[in-house]
Amino acid sequence: VDGKAIEGATITLSGTTNATTKSDKEGNFVFKPISYGDYQLSIKATGFKDYIDTAFVVRLGKVNKVFVGLEG
């Protein structure tokens, strides 16, 4: 919503490991532990167009920061 964080968005990671979580009030989310490898990352929130990244890569010992703008 005008560049603001979306609380409660559903974030799903599919690939080597499958996991789902929700974003917090600042729009942050964490998956752990996650195996390194290639994934699909999807983000869904009511009133917004779904976001899908089919080439999301998790590297061993690295933190991935994702900045996504969802379209309303």
Side-chain angles (χ1 to χ4, degrees), residues 7-71:
E7 182 177 5
T10 300
I11 301 95
T12 303
L13 199 58
S14 305
T16 306
T17 301
N18 296 308
T20 300
T21 192
K22 298 272 187 183
S23 59
D24 66 16
K25 66 182 178 180
E26 281 114 22
N28 298 317
F29 60 92
V30 175
F31 288 109
K32 60 182 183 178
I34 294 295
S35 300
Y36 63 90
D38 298 327
Y39 289 88
Q40 174 175 295
L41 176 73
S42 64
I43 303 173
K44 297 181 181 192
T46 303
F48 294 90
K49 194 174 177 185
D50 293 353
Y51 171 85
I52 298 175
D53 181 348
T54 59
F56 189 76
V57 179
V58 174
R59 300 278 181 230
L60 186 62
K62 298 287 181 182
V63 173
N64 290 49
K65 292 186 179 183
V66 180
F67 299 95
V68 175
L70 298 180
E71 295 180 32

